[in-house]
Structures are given as C-alpha cells and as structure tokens.
Amino acid sequence: MRPNGLELKAWVATNYQDESHLLWGQTLQSAQAWAEGKSLSNQDYKFLTASLELEKGKLQIGLLENRNSHQILPSKRHLQIITILSVVVTALVIGVRQLGMLQTWELQAFDHLMQLRPHEGTDPRILLVTITEDDFKLPEQEHRKGSLSDQALALALQKLRQFKARTIGLDIYRDFSVDPSNADLATWMRRDSSLIAICKASEPKINQPGVSPPPEIPVER
C-alpha cells in the first residue's frame, strides 16, 4: 500500500504547485524507505523528488540563518565593547582635564598653533611704549617704585591722552597706591575707563603668590 497517497493526490490536484502537501522530515524518510527497490510511477517520482528538493532548501535556509546569527552576535558584542571603551576613555580624559593634568600639554599645543599662524604684520592702530634702562635715569624717575614712578606714569599717560588713545593697557605690576602728592593721577586712574591694568593670580599648588592690581583701578578693569 502506497503511504502518503492522500498528500500525493492533493499535490497533483494543485497542478504540482502547493508545497504544503509535500513530505519532509521523518515522513519523507519513511516514503524513501518504501520506494526503495520499487518501480515508481511518474507521479510518485515527481512527488518524492519535489519533497527532497523542498527538504534540501529548508536545510540550506536553516544553515544560512544559523551562520548569520553567529555573525551578528560578534558584531553586537564588538559594538558593546567599543561603546563601553568610548565611555570609559571619555570619562578618563574629562577627569584628568578637570584635575589640570593636561594643562601643560594644552598650553604647549596652543602655543605651537599660534606659532604656525602666518605673519599678519604690525597693526598701525597699536602703539607699544617700552621702558629702557635709560628711562630709569630720567629726573622724574628719581622716586620711583618698580618700573615707573608716579610722576613718570602721569607724564606718559598725559602724552597718550593727547593722541586720543581709545584703550591704554598698563602692562606693569603696581600693587601699591599712588603717592598722596599725586592725587590727580589717582583720580584719573579711578575714573578713566580706557585704562586697563594687569594683575597675577596666585598658584597655591606651587606656593606661588599673586600680584594685586593697582588699588586705584576697579576690579573689572
């Protein structure tokens, strides 16, 4: 008696198109064992051949899906590792930078970039007034403290005002008050917003004291 006769008839009725009636797995193996050594009809042969092709196709699809799953897993694992390493490295760099450990390298890199800039020439709007050794010998420098006496500073500022300087930068440390005998200089330093002075911040880590700005100039300047 032919096994799976109903499946064969149903498959033939669909003009050999509906693969749901074909055999696979243990049922196909049983049909192959039954057909061994027998003279099969054309329909039986086509039915078994189509079933074998379907089984082969399913096996190939299964192998391909298994291979893809093994390829996807390492990719996900690599992505997770890269993400974790990126977060760790970023946090480490931020932490080290907050501690100031990169400051020296950053300043060196910035200085190097500044040196690589093309020469822009001298800006004609800027006038640089320097103090030389000969200036220390001038009469108005007789009672000086630091680089400039009050009298010499007053004379220099008076000349600059004649040229209507928009901004005057005093690049000299003056952490002492103007002498009471030069009250006009002290008043002008307090009121003239075009005058900007310098100071130096302290560095407790290296026990480096700071230098205060001139007492007559407001903190914002």
Side-chain angles (χ1 to χ4, degrees):
M1 181 178 179
R2 178 193 293 114
N4 311 112
L6 295 177
E7 289 83 354
L8 173 59
K9 290 180 180 180
W11 183 63
V12 174
T14 63
N15 196 24
Y16 312 106
Q17 299 299 317
D18 192 349
E19 294 182 345
S20 64
H21 299 295
L22 296 175
L23 308 178
W24 62 281
Q26 186 61 43
T27 305
L28 177 58
Q29 294 179 10
S30 299
Q32 286 181 290
W34 170 82
E36 189 175 352
K38 292 183 175 63
S39 179
L40 302 178
S41 66
N42 187 41
Q43 288 184 346
D44 287 326
Y45 179 76
K46 291 178 65 175
F47 184 62
L48 287 175
T49 301
S51 297
L52 287 171
E53 291 294 330
L54 179 63
E55 179 86 353
K56 181 179 178 182
K58 288 183 177 181
L59 288 175
Q60 289 179 344
I61 292 174
L63 290 173
L64 183 60
E65 290 177 348
N66 187 39
R67 183 184 305 169
N68 290 338
S69 65
H70 281 80
Q71 290 177 349
I72 291 173
L73 287 176
S75 299
K76 289 183 177 179
R77 205 172 290 121
H78 291 161
L79 182 60
Q80 291 175 349
I81 293 174
I82 292 173
T83 302
I84 293 173
L85 287 177
S86 300
V87 172
V88 171
V89 171
T90 302
L92 183 62
V93 171
I94 292 176
V96 171
R97 193 174 186 277
Q98 289 296 325
L99 294 175
M101 299 175 67
L102 299 179
Q103 185 177 24
T104 302
W105 294 340
E106 290 175 344
L107 292 175
Q108 289 176 351
F110 179 76
D111 183 63
H112 181 66
L113 290 175
M114 291 297 100
Q115 294 178 19
L116 293 177
R117 293 188 307 170
H119 181 62
E120 298 178 356
T122 303
D123 192 331
R125 299 171 299 176
I126 298 176
L127 174 65
L128 184 63
V129 180
T130 61
I131 303 172
T132 65
E133 292 291 335
D134 292 337
D135 294 327
F136 295 150
K137 302 174 184 178
L138 296 174
E140 56 267 25
Q141 287 276 65
E142 185 177 356
H143 303 290
R144 68 182 174 88
K145 290 181 181 180
S147 300
L148 279 179
S149 66
D150 292 344
Q151 184 180 0
L153 177 59
L155 289 173
L157 294 176
Q158 183 179 359
K159 289 184 179 180
L160 292 174
R161 286 202 302 273
Q162 293 176 359
F163 292 99
K164 298 180 180 180
R166 183 174 300 178
T167 303
I168 301 174
L170 185 62
D171 191 17
I172 299 173
Y173 289 132
R174 279 182 65 94
D175 56 350
F176 49 88
S177 300
V178 175
D179 191 271
S181 60
N182 293 288
D184 291 341
L185 174 62
T187 301
W188 183 84
M189 292 177 68
R190 280 193 294 266
R191 295 180 178 179
D192 195 335
S193 60
S194 66
L195 179 61
I196 300 174
I198 64 169
C199 62
K200 182 180 180 182
S202 60
E203 299 184 47
K205 292 183 178 180
I206 58 174
N207 198 25
Q208 181 75 38
V211 180
S212 300
E216 295 79 14
I217 296 182
V219 176
E220 57 269 18
R221 289 196 276 125

